[in-house]
Amino acid sequence: MRNVLATSFATLGLIVSSWSSPLPPVPPDTIVCYMIRTGPPIVASTSGTPVTGLQLAVDVTPATLATTGFTGGWDFVNGGIGAFYGCHDFWLNVGTSTKSYKPLSWAFDNQVTTNWIASEGSKITAAATATYNATSNFLACKEKSTWRLYLQTGTDKPAGVECTTTELFVKKSP
């Protein structure tokens, strides 16, 4: 039985190590279970913008758009957007700012933002809170060679960088 388990874990490790989706770093001393779970990407869907078709990436924080985003399976429970990885989630959270563009970041097993409205095949919306109205607008700003993503709750934009307003859409699984 022990050899069978070792072989099974070795095979599973091989499958996981050959998986091409970008994965976020896991904090040290974290127990990780390996489940292979795939899902559709979340894409910038506003046509005619420089970010059209780019995908939400999870391997870095703050949140960014990239040519190849995360497709490892999303959780949309309790009003959150979670990138499922190894029996844990990296949660997309909205930060605070006096500007109308709010920074987005990923947090390991720490769901702070619970007002996302999202599901497969739908546009992502941030429901209204005490500090902003409901919105489906996101601001992508090119900082160095990366498209950093913000929740856009008004019309402010960072000075000195190229920015474009877009919407995000959760594609359907094939």
Side-chain angles (χ1 to χ4, degrees):
M1 181 68 167
R2 186 183 203 148
N3 289 339
V4 171
L5 282 175
T7 302
S8 297
F9 285 124
T11 303
L12 182 58
L14 232 167
I15 292 167
V16 169
S17 67
S18 66
W19 190 19
S20 64
S21 286
L23 298 172
V26 175
D29 301 324
T30 300
I31 296 173
V32 176
C33 65
Y34 288 99
M35 292 175 57
I36 297 175
R37 191 171 147 193
T38 60
I42 294 176
V43 298
S45 61
T46 306
S47 61
T49 70
V51 297
T52 302
L54 293 182
Q55 302 175 1
L56 183 59
V58 182
D59 56 337
V60 294
T61 198
T64 61
L65 294 173
T67 52
T68 303
F70 183 76
T71 56
W74 297 99
D75 281 331
F76 303 111
V77 296
N78 300 324
I81 296 176
F84 181 82
Y85 174 60
C87 297
H88 297 276
D89 279 294
F90 285 81
W91 293 101
L92 184 62
N93 291 311
V94 179
T96 58
S97 173
T98 58
K99 303 290 186 184
S100 68
Y101 54 95
K102 311 298 182 197
L104 298 175
S105 62
W106 295 102
F108 181 77
D109 278 348
N110 186 15
Q111 181 183 1
V112 176
T113 302
T114 58
N115 66 310
W116 294 114
I117 301 168
S119 62
E120 264 194 45
S122 73
K123 177 172 50 174
I124 295 176
T125 300
T129 68
T131 56
Y132 56 83
N133 293 324
T135 183
S136 295
N137 291 327
F138 292 84
L139 188 66
C141 296
K142 193 158 194 174
E143 298 177 5
K144 298 182 184 172
S145 61
T146 302
W147 286 100
R148 183 172 176 185
L149 198 61
Y150 299 88
L151 180 66
Q152 180 58 288
T153 64
T155 58
D156 296 338
K157 293 182 180 179
V161 293
E162 176 187 2
C163 293
T164 187
T165 302
T166 191
E167 293 180 334
L168 297 179
F169 187 81
V170 184
K171 287 191 151 193
K172 285 191 175 227
S173 292

